[in-house]
Every structure is written in structure tokens, then in C-alpha cells.
């Protein structure tokens, strides 16, 4: 499930996204944006791995990558 | 939600869930699952009971034995389950309407008995599923489908109500304060008695759209700004009561084992 990229600190399961905008509104680094009503990762290198998106997404779309989560 | 917990506790074939975009129920359920994972409870001895309403759909998404019961009766079913199988950890997931209106009597008598069940009330201040009617926790002046000019009724304070009715663990948190909320739910699981956690959660569709906050992010900010950990006039979040008192099922079992002594 999702694309658990090696270098990306977060992974998304985009099919489940309902486009509520909570992750994009609260991500402190502007990593998550909505495109055509679904979440997209932009500039993943800016991600600090705070995990806020993983906690706030009501639809369980976003996961901190295993590399960071450890 | 951490992917490990998703895989461990959710019925993956039932996802994505039915809740609307930006509904806080998914976050509240996530916090409950985190608390279950952190707790020392035997995971094979957990039973989830829910009533009717948006929040009550939660029981169907988890990999535990569960009962999706009738409107307002989750605590009544939970009482029966706990009495029949005292070794089970019974968790009720209910909403403000289900728990405090239709099920109001079950709530206060569960509190009064101090029966060892854990009640998580997803309080979104409205009846979501049935069409946006006002509930006992709808704030005064809020617009709903049954109060188009604003609600004139006063609200229940679920925590005060439960505390005064005898619940031994009473707490309030929000889906915005996620880590704090997990701790509150863990506290409920630790208490051997009636525990209730009121979880403030946004309903952007039925509540927000009628009350100038249709955007989930705005409802979240409102939740953040209208609550506080201290007594400053905002809605207080935290633990209000955590005390030991005789628990109904244990007392009942004691009585049964003493039966020979009291019958003449
Ligand atoms: S982990 Fe933090 S910084 Fe990275 S995308 Fe999520 S919210 Fe943004
Ligand atoms: S919070 Fe989740 S459902 Fe909402 S837009 Fe972001 S990824 Fe999609
Ligand atoms: S109606 Fe409200 S509470 Fe029900 S699923 Fe939609 S947003 Fe959530």
C-alpha cells in the first residue's frame, strides 16, 4: 500500500484521500499540497518528519517513512 | 495513523471509511487505537460496543469483536457484556446525541453503578448522520436543521454530568490535541470503574457548513483556540476526576461468593 519511497520521509496512499485540506493547512513546511482534490507531496526534502500530517489526517492517508520512524 | 497500527488493528478491506472529508471521527478513532496499543490490556479480550450515529460506525472498522447496537443503547449492551464476561475490556464508542439524549439514562446509571466500562464520546455538537439536528451539546445560538434561527436550549456539560452521576474517571480532550488525547484514553483504560472521555471533534458538513466554518482547517483552529488546559474561561481539557470507588461487577461477584453467609 502507498509508495514507501526510500528517500522520502513520508508516504501517501492517495486513493484514500478525500481532499479535506487538513494536512496542507497544518504542515509547518508546506510539503503537502492539494492537486485536483487529492494530496500531493511537494519538495519532500523540506519535510522535518514531525509527523503532524500522519496524526491529523482523518483518512489514514499519510505515513512517516520507515527510515525516519525507525 | 501509523501504518503498523493500521495494519494491526483495522479491517483494511473496510477502508476508506464512510466519514465525510475533514470529519474528526477518523482522528478520534486513531487516538483510541494508539491508546489500545499502548495499554497493557490483553488485545484478545477487548470488545467494542457502539450505538447509532456517525461515530458509532467506528466499531465496524476495527479488528476486535464488536457490537453495533441500537440507538442510545451502547452502554446498556456494554453493561450486559461486562456482567456476563467480567474479564473483557469493554470499550463503548458513541456520539453526543446517542450517549446523552437517547442514551442519557443509560449513561447516568452506568456512572452511578461505577461499572468498569470505558466510554469514548465523540462530541461534535450535532446529530450528523440523521440530518444535522441539534443535540444536547449543541452550543446556544448555533444553527442546525432543527434550529435554523439558532438553538435556544442550554447545553449539557458531559464531563460535569458524568462526574456528578458517579463516574470515577472523567476527562475531556480534542482531536487537535492528539497526543494529549491518547494519554486521556489510556487513563480511562487504567481505571477500574466507569470511565468516560469526551472527545471534541469537528463535523464540518452538518455543523460547520451551517455555522460559518465549512472548512475543516477552520474548525480545527476553532477547536484549538476555544479550549485550554487551565481555568481561563475557555472549554477546559484534561482529567477532571480519577478516583477509586467500589466497582459494580466486582461487588456483585463478592456478593455471590458470600451468598452462603447471608442466606438463612
Ligand atoms: S512530517 Fe511534518 S513536515 Fe513532513 S510533511 Fe508531515 S507535517 Fe509536513
Ligand atoms: S488530511 Fe488526509 S484526507 Fe485530508 S487532504 Fe490531507 S491526505 Fe487527504
Ligand atoms: S456528518 Fe459530520 S460527523 Fe458525520 S461523517 Fe460527516 S462530518 Fe463526520
Amino acid at each position: 500500500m502507498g509508495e514507501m519511497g526510500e528517500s522520502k520521509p513520508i508516504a501517501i496512499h492517495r486513493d484514500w484521500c478525500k481532499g479535506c485540506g487538513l494536512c496542507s493547512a497544518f504542515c509547518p513546511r508546506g510539503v503537502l499540497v492539494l492537486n485536483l482534490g487529492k494530496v500531493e507531496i511537494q519538495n519532500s526534502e523540506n519535510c522535518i518528519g514531525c509527523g503532524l500530517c500522519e496524526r491529523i489526517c482523518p483518512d489514514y492517508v499519510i505515513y512517516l517513512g520507515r527510515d525516519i520512524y525507525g | 495513523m501509523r501504518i503498523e497500527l493500521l495494519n494491526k488493528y483495522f479491517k483494511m478491506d473496510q477502508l476508506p471509511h464512510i466519514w465525510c472529508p475533514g470529519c474528526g471521527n477518523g482522528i478520534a478513532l486513531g487516538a483510541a487505537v494508539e491508546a489500545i496499543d499502548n495499554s497493557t490490556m490483553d488485545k484478545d479480550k477487548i470488545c467494542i460496543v457502539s450505538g447509532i450515529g456517525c461515530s458509532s460506525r467506528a466499531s465496524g472498522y476495527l479488528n476486535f469483536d464488536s457490537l453495533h447496537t441500537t440507538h442510545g443503547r451502547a452502554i446498556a449492551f456494554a453493561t450486559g457484556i461486562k456482567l456476563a464476561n467480567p474479564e473483557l475490556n469493554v470499550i463503548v464508542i458513541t456520539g453526543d446525541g446517542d450517549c446523552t439524549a437517547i442514551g442519557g439514562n443509560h449513561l447516568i446509571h452506568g456512572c452511578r453503578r461505577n461499572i468498569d466500562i470505558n466510554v469514548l464520546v465523540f462530541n461534535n455538537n450535532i446529530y450528523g448522520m440523521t440530518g444535522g439536528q441539534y443535540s444536547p451539546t449543541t452550543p446556544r445560538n448555533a444553527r442546525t436543521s432543527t434550529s435554523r434561527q439558532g438553538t435556544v436550549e442550554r447545553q449539557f456539560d458531559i464531563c460535569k454530568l458524568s462526574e456528578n452521576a458517579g463516574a470515577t474517571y472523567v476527562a475531556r480532550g480534542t482531536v487537535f490535541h492528539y497526543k494529549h488525547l491518547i494519554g486521556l484514553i489510556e487513563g480511562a483504560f487504567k481505571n477500574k470503574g466507569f470511565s468516560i472521555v469526551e472527545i471534541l471533534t469537528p463535523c464540518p458538513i452538518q455543523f460547520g457548513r451551517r455555522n460559518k466554518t465549512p472548512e475543516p482547517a477552520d474548525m480545527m483552529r476553532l477547536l484549538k483556540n476555544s479550549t485550554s488546559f487551565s481555568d481561563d474561561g475557555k472549554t477546559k481539557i484534561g482529567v477532571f476526576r480519577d478516583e477509586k470507588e467500589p466497582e459494580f461487577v466486582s461487588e456483585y461477584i463478592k456478593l455471590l461468593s458470600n451468598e452462603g453467609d447471608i442466606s438463612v
Side-chain angles (χ1 to χ4, degrees):
Chain A
M1 80 148 15
E3 309 92 52
M4 199 64 87
E6 294 276 307
S7 56
K8 279 185 202 161
I10 51 167
I12 55 176
H13 186 214
R14 201 161 180 259
D15 281 357
W16 286 359
C17 175
K18 293 179 186 157
C20 71
L22 284 175
C23 57
S24 49
F26 288 97
C27 168
R29 304 301 291 267
V31 175
L32 299 160
V33 291
L34 289 186
N35 183 12
L36 299 174
K38 293 233 187 217
V39 69
E40 239 177 44
I41 302 175
Q42 230 176 43
N43 310 320
S44 64
E45 64 279 8
N46 290 343
C47 173
I48 51 171
C50 66
L52 195 144
C53 52
E54 188 183 59
R55 296 192 290 274
I56 210 167
C57 174
D59 284 274
Y60 318 136
V61 170
I62 312 175
Y63 320 106
L64 279 192
R66 292 177 204 283
D67 47 339
I68 283 201
Y69 212 72
Chain B
M1 167 86 333
R2 292 192 273 142
I3 197 160
E4 306 89 299
L5 298 191
L6 198 60
N7 286 322
K8 192 168 166 192
Y9 295 109
F10 282 79
K11 291 181 182 153
M12 297 298 273
D13 59 340
Q14 298 295 311
L15 294 174
H17 55 60
I18 52 132
W19 295 315
C20 307
C23 173
N25 287 349
I27 310 175
L29 183 60
V33 164
E34 298 254 11
I36 288 173
D37 192 62
N38 291 345
S39 86
T40 53
M41 292 190 294
D42 180 350
K43 309 294 186 282
D44 291 325
K45 294 230 182 293
I46 291 176
C47 181
I48 313 273
V49 188
S50 64
I52 294 294
C54 294
S55 54
S56 288
R57 293 297 292 262
S59 57
Y61 298 119
L62 300 180
N63 250 331
F64 295 108
D65 287 334
S66 59
L67 265 79
H68 190 174
T69 71
T70 50
H71 210 352
R73 314 300 168 207
I75 292 174
F77 279 87
T79 300
I81 294 167
K82 186 71 189 176
L83 269 169
N85 300 286
E87 78 284 4
L88 291 183
N89 300 292
V90 183
I91 302 170
V92 171
I93 298 182
T94 174
D96 43 305
D98 193 55
C99 183
T100 69
I102 300 103
N105 259 312
H106 299 302
L107 170 67
I108 57 175
H109 293 288
C111 293
R112 179 177 62 80
R113 293 184 180 121
N114 194 33
I115 181 165
D116 184 22
I117 58 180
N118 306 287
V119 179
L120 310 179
V121 192
F122 293 11
N123 180 6
N124 58 13
N125 309 109
I126 199 155
Y127 284 91
M129 182 179 282
T130 53
Q133 298 87 349
Y134 67 81
S135 84
T137 65
T138 300
R140 273 195 96 172
N141 302 320
R143 291 172 194 268
T144 69
S145 68
T146 43
S147 62
R148 292 180 188 277
Q149 315 293 323
T151 317
V152 291
E153 294 184 19
R154 295 182 300 163
Q155 298 176 265
F156 264 154
D157 178 322
I158 296 178
C159 288
K160 277 190 183 151
L161 178 69
S162 308
E163 204 178 328
N164 287 315
T168 44
Y169 181 91
V170 179
R172 180 189 294 123
T174 90
V175 294
F176 182 83
H177 305 85
Y178 188 76
K179 290 182 179 166
H180 175 247
L181 177 59
I182 295 169
L184 297 178
I185 301 173
E186 283 177 48
F189 294 159
K190 280 186 197 133
N191 175 46
K192 191 168 171 50
F194 194 95
S195 305
I196 182 162
V197 183
E198 176 188 1
I199 304 171
L200 303 179
T201 174
C203 166
I205 301 300
Q206 296 287 18
F207 190 92
R209 286 205 295 206
R210 290 190 174 87
N211 291 284
K212 302 194 177 109
T213 44
E215 285 302 321
D218 288 337
M219 288 208 82
M220 230 13 134
R221 286 185 197 104
L222 201 64
L223 210 49
K224 179 186 175 204
N225 297 332
S226 61
T227 52
S228 165
F229 293 102
S230 50
D231 292 298
D232 55 6
K234 293 182 178 180
T235 302
K236 193 173 177 183
I237 54 177
V239 179
F240 301 107
R241 185 162 195 231
D242 187 4
E243 278 165 41
K244 273 207 168 2
E245 281 187 28
E247 190 273 329
F248 178 62
V249 179
S250 319
E251 293 301 304
Y252 201 82
I253 291 172
K254 259 194 239 165
L255 183 74
L256 292 182
S257 56
N258 288 340
E259 209 170 358
D261 303 339
I262 56 172
S263 61
V264 179

